[in-house]
Amino acid sequence: MNANVLIVDDSRTVRMMVRSALEQAGHRVTEAYDGVNAIATLENVKPDLIITDVNMPEMDGITLVRELRGKQGFPRIPILILTTVQDAEMKEKGRQAGATGWMCKPFQPDQLTAVVQKVLSR
Amino acid sequence: MGRHPHALPAHRLQMTDPIVQAFLEEADDRLAELEEDLLRLEQNPAEPEIVNRIFRCAHTLKGNSRMLGFEDIARFTHSLEDLLDQLRKQLRVVTPDIVDVLLMSGDVLKQLVGVARGTEAPNPDVSEGVLHLINNFLSGEAIAAPAPSGTPTSTTAQVAPTLTPIAQTAPAARVQQAAEPIAEPVPAPSAPSAATSPAPAPTTEAPRSNADADSFFGFFEETAAPATAPAAAAPIAQARAASPAAEPAAPCSPPPAVAALPPPTQDAPAKSTLTPSASMLARAAEPIAVPPKTSSLPKPEAPRAPATPETASIRVPVEKVDRLINLVGELVITQSIIAQTVDHLTPERMQTLQEAVAQMDRHARELHERMMAVRMVPIKSLFARFPRLVRDLAGMTGKQVALETSGEDTELDKTVSERMSDPLTHLLRNAVDHGVETPDERKVAGKNETAHVKLKAYQRGGNIYIEIQDDGKGIDKERVRAKAVQNGLVSADAQLTDEQIVNLIFKPGLSTAAKVTEVSGRGVGMNVVKRNIEALGGVITIKTEKGKGTLFQIKLPLTLAIMDGQTMRVGEQIFVVPLVAITESVRPQRESVHRPAGAPPLVMIRGQALPMLALHELLGIDPEARDPHDGLLVVVENEGRLAGLLVDELLGQQQVVVKNLETNFKKTEGIAGATILGDGRVALILDIPGVVELARKHELVASH
C-alpha cells in the first residue's frame, strides 16, 4: 500500500532521510519544518500518516498532535512522534496528546519503512 | 517490504550521497547558530528559550550523526546534550565556565564535521579533552541527580551507553532477524502484512536482541499489552488478535482517538510501560499490566491527494546553479547571434524579427538576472562567525570590544562570500589587535572604555560594499612611512600624499605592529588581503584619522560569473581584460621602450618604468604591430604594480559571461577563462598575474 506521509522535523537531514527511504518504498512524502508549518501544509495535503519530531521551533510536536486531534479536525489520522529511547516522559506526553505511537530517533531507513508499513496496515 | 539482511545501514552511505551532503550542510548551519546562541547566552544566562535552542541543536546533531554513522560526532554530542539537558532543566546554572566549555564544544564539533567531510584531520586530543571537561561537569558534585520529577533517566546511565551505541550497530537487518523467530510460531492470522513487520513492543522481559527491536517503535495501545504473557511471543499474538477486531470496531469508536486511549491513570505504570529501553540502559524495569485495549484507530479515510510539498526556501547545490547559469549564458549568446543575422534580412521581414529579438533579449536578460540571484546568499552566514572571533580576540588582548554588525541580509555571490572570509577575518583581527586601544588607553584619551567595531554590508548600484570601522587610534602614518623607508619600499625623501602613505600598508613586507602578537602577525599580511579582494574583482580603500579610528571599505562586484571587460585584439585573437584592472591605454613612443638583457622589456610612461608584456611574444601570436609604437599599451595594475600589455587594437567594453577553460580544455598559464562574443567568436580572458609570471619565465628562457 502506497501512502502519503507527512514528515514534520526541523532537521532537513531527517526530512531528506525520511523522504529517501519512504519514496524508495513507493510512498509519497511531504515535508514540514515545524508544527505551524505542518498545519499550514495540511490545508493542501491529506496524508495517511504523520510522523513528527517533538522539539521544534515555533510549534513543538506534542502541541501539534494536540492541535490536530482537537480543533484542526484530524481526529483519526495516525500520528507517530519521534522520541529518543530513554524519553518515557515524552512518550507519555505524546500519548496524552493523542499520538498513535512513537518511533525512536535515530532510525535506519529499513526500520522506518517497516514501521510505516505496520502503521498503515492496521 | 522485503527483508534485506545486508540492506544498507545508513552509516555506510557514501560521502557523495545527497543525505550526507545535507547532513554536513545542516551541521554547518546548526553550529553557526549554536555559536550565535552561546554568545547570546553569555549575555542572558537565564534565558530559557536560548538554552532550549542550544539543546535542540545538539540534540538534532546527535540524532543525525548517529543515523548516518558519524560516530565521533554522535558520541560527543551525546555528552554535550546531557550537559545542556541539565541547563535546560535548570539543574545547573549557566556560568562563564560552562559557556566557555560550550563554545569549545562548538569548535570541536566544527572540527569533527570537517573530519567527516574529509577536509580536516582528526584531532582526538582536543575533542577528548573537551569531552573530558564536559564529563567533569556531568560527574561533578554540582549535579543534582534528576530529582523525582518523573525523569526516568539519570545522567550517568546515559553516559555509559555512548561507548557502545547499540542503536547504531543494530541496523534494520538485525531488527528483522530478531523479529523472525518470534513471528514464525504464530499461526498466520488475518493480517498478513504484519508478518514481515518488526515485532511490536513487548514487555521488558523480552530477550535482549528482541528488546533492541522493540526499543525502536511502539503503538501506545500495544505497549499497554498485558505483561502476563508468558513468552516474548505473546505480545505479537496479542497484537494480531487485536488487529482483526480493531478494524471492524473502528467505525463504532468515538472519533477522537484521544478518547479511546487508555487514560493515563497513574504516573508509575504509564512511565514504566513506556520505557522500553531495557537493553540500551542495561536496566530492567518491572513489567506493568495495563488492560489490553482494542485499537480505536481506523484506517486513514482521506483519499490520497497529490503531495504538494511546501517549503519556504530551497537549497540548491551550487553546481546545478552553475550549469543553469552557463546555459542561460548560452542563450544570451544565441540571442546576439540572431540579432546579428537579422541585420542582413530583407526589409519587409525586418520589423517582425527585430521585435521578436527585442523580446527574446528582454527575456534572456531577465532569466539571466534571476538565475544569478539563485547564487546569491545573505552575508549573514559570513558575518555569523565574527562575534565569536572578536569576543575571543578581545579576551586575549585584554580589550573591551563590542562588534556591531548591520546589513546581514545583503546578498552576495556564494563564492565571493566564501572567499571574503579570510580577508574579513584578517581585517577584524587587525582592528581588535592594532586598531583599538586598551581600556586604560581609551580612558586616558577620553573615550568610552569599550571600543566599537562596526561591520556593515550594503548594496549600491552594481556593487556590494563591506565596511569595517573601528573607533580606535587610527593608522600612524609616520610609523608606516618610517617602516616603509626602513624596508626599502620607498625612498626616504619620497613625496607621498597621506593616502599614498596609508596605502603602503598593503605592500608586502610591511608590518607596523611593534611586536608580533599571537593575534596578528601570522605571516598573512595586508598585501594578501588586498590580493584576495582584487582576485574577486574588488577594491579596498582606507580612511583613517589619528585618534578617531579607521574605516576599511571593500567594494565587490555582485557576481563573478559576469564581468565588465575590455576587449582587445592581438593579430586575429581577441582578449578580454577585467575593466577594473585597467588604468589607462597609451600609444608608446618609439624611444620609450627599453630592452634590458635578462628582464622583460621596459616602457617609460610619464617617467615611470613599466614592464612591457608583449602578448604576441608571450602567447605566440602573429601580431599586426611588432613595433610597440604601432600598437597600443594597455596599462594594468597587478598587486599594486603597473604593467603594460602590448596589443594591436582596443575593441570595446562589454559584459562577458566567464567560462572556465579548465572544464573543457586545460589550465593555461596567463589565461583565466574564456567567453563567447556576440559574433560567436571565442575570446580569452587574461589572468594578469599569470601573464606577468609568464613574462618572467619567458625572459629567463630567452636569456639562457
Side-chain angles (χ1 to χ4, degrees), chain B residues 56-107:
Chain B
R56 197 158 58 216
C57 168
H59 181 75
T60 300
L61 258 180
K62 182 185 83 167
N64 290 353
S65 54
R66 184 153 288 169
M67 267 193 311
L68 297 177
F70 292 111
E71 209 36 54
D72 287 345
I73 302 175
R75 195 164 69 92
F76 191 89
T77 42
H78 189 104
S79 291
L80 181 62
E81 186 190 17
D82 285 346
L83 180 58
L84 291 167
D85 197 39
Q86 291 185 359
L87 300 181
R88 190 173 66 135
K89 293 188 170 135
Q90 298 184 335
L91 301 172
R92 179 184 295 283
V93 292
V94 177
T95 60
D97 279 357
I98 287 188
V99 174
D100 277 342
V101 168
L102 293 178
L103 281 169
M104 279 189 255
S105 302
D107 295 343

Side-chain angles (χ1 to χ4, degrees), chain B residues 667-682:
Chain B
K667 188 163 169 55
T668 310
E669 196 169 19
I671 306 295
T675 191
I676 301 173
L677 300 172
D679 59 4
R681 278 193 292 172
V682 173

Side-chain angles (χ1 to χ4, degrees), chain B residues 239-283:
Chain B
R240 298 231 172 111
S243 239
E247 302 283 344
C252 317
S253 307
V258 187
L261 281 170
T265 42
Q266 304 158 43
D267 243 19
K271 227 177 285 158
S272 308
T273 326
L274 292 163
T275 311
S277 52
S279 68
M280 260 319 248
L281 302 182
R283 225 174 27 164

Side-chain angles (χ1 to χ4, degrees), chain B residues 31-375:
Chain B
L31 290 174
E33 285 166 25
L34 175 77
E35 190 166 286
E36 275 177 49
D37 277 329
L38 285 172
L39 295 175
R40 265 181 225 131
L41 184 70
E42 196 170 36
Q43 305 302 317
N44 315 288
E47 180 60 47
E49 183 44 36
I50 301 178
V51 178
N52 193 28
R53 273 207 305 269
I54 294 170
F55 174 83
R56 197 158 58 216
C57 168
H59 181 75
T60 300
L61 258 180
K62 182 185 83 167
N64 290 353
S65 54
R66 184 153 288 169
M67 267 193 311
L68 297 177
F70 292 111
E71 209 36 54
D72 287 345
I73 302 175
R75 195 164 69 92
F76 191 89
T77 42
H78 189 104
S79 291
L80 181 62
E81 186 190 17
D82 285 346
L83 180 58
L84 291 167
D85 197 39
Q86 291 185 359
L87 300 181
R88 190 173 66 135
K89 293 188 170 135
Q90 298 184 335
L91 301 172
R92 179 184 295 283
V93 292
V94 177
T95 60
D97 279 357
I98 287 188
V99 174
D100 277 342
V101 168
L102 293 178
L103 281 169
M104 279 189 255
S105 302
D107 295 343
V108 167
L109 284 170
K110 278 182 201 162
Q111 207 259 340
L112 291 176
V113 170
V115 173
R117 184 177 270 128
T119 53
E120 279 184 58
N123 191 347
D125 288 355
V126 172
S127 56
E128 290 303 316
V130 176
L131 196 58
H132 188 72
L133 290 175
I134 295 173
N135 287 332
N136 274 354
F137 274 118
L138 288 174
S139 59
E141 68 229 12
I143 275 191
S149 62
T151 317
T153 56
S154 87
T155 315
T156 39
Q158 277 183 338
V159 173
T162 57
L163 301 170
T164 50
I166 291 163
Q168 176 58 49
T169 51
R174 218 172 111 195
V175 173
Q176 293 286 342
Q177 282 159 3
E180 212 166 351
I182 302 168
E184 269 164 10
V186 182
S190 56
S193 61
T196 49
S197 303
T203 65
T204 47
E205 284 170 338
R208 183 193 161 92
S209 60
N210 193 22
D212 274 0
D214 308 329
S215 63
F216 177 68
F217 159 72
F219 287 116
F220 283 125
E221 299 91 337
E222 290 182 6
T223 52
T228 47
I236 289 177
Q238 195 87 40
R240 298 231 172 111
S243 239
E247 302 283 344
C252 317
S253 307
V258 187
L261 281 170
T265 42
Q266 304 158 43
D267 243 19
K271 227 177 285 158
S272 308
T273 326
L274 292 163
T275 311
S277 52
S279 68
M280 260 319 248
L281 302 182
R283 225 174 27 164
E286 59 286 38
I288 301 295
V290 172
K293 188 74 200 167
T294 46
S295 167
S296 69
L297 282 152
K299 292 212 163 240
E301 68 213 303
R304 235 139 276 143
T308 51
E310 297 211 330
T311 41
S313 64
I314 53 157
R315 288 176 75 93
V316 189
V318 175
E319 188 195 345
K320 269 192 200 166
V321 178
D322 285 347
R323 271 193 218 133
L324 277 167
I325 289 172
N326 242 327
L327 195 70
V328 179
E330 302 280 3
L331 180 62
V332 173
I333 292 156
T334 317
Q335 181 270 329
S336 58
I337 292 171
I338 293 175
Q340 293 197 354
T341 320
V342 163
D343 288 342
H344 306 291
L345 279 171
T346 53
E348 55 269 25
R349 295 178 65 188
M350 269 288 263
Q351 199 183 346
T352 326
L353 261 167
Q354 273 176 339
E355 279 168 13
V357 166
Q359 189 171 336
M360 183 182 169
D361 185 37
R362 267 200 315 278
H363 287 163
R365 270 176 208 283
E366 187 184 339
L367 189 55
H368 206 173
E369 271 169 31
R370 282 174 192 268
M371 285 316 303
M372 303 308 296
V374 178
R375 268 196 69 90

Side-chain angles (χ1 to χ4, degrees), chain B residues 540-555:
Chain B
I540 181 168
T541 52
I542 316 172
K543 282 182 195 137
T544 184
E545 194 175 340
K546 194 164 187 175
K548 293 273 176 62
T550 305
L551 167 72
F552 287 93
Q553 189 189 63
I554 300 163
K555 179 179 158 190

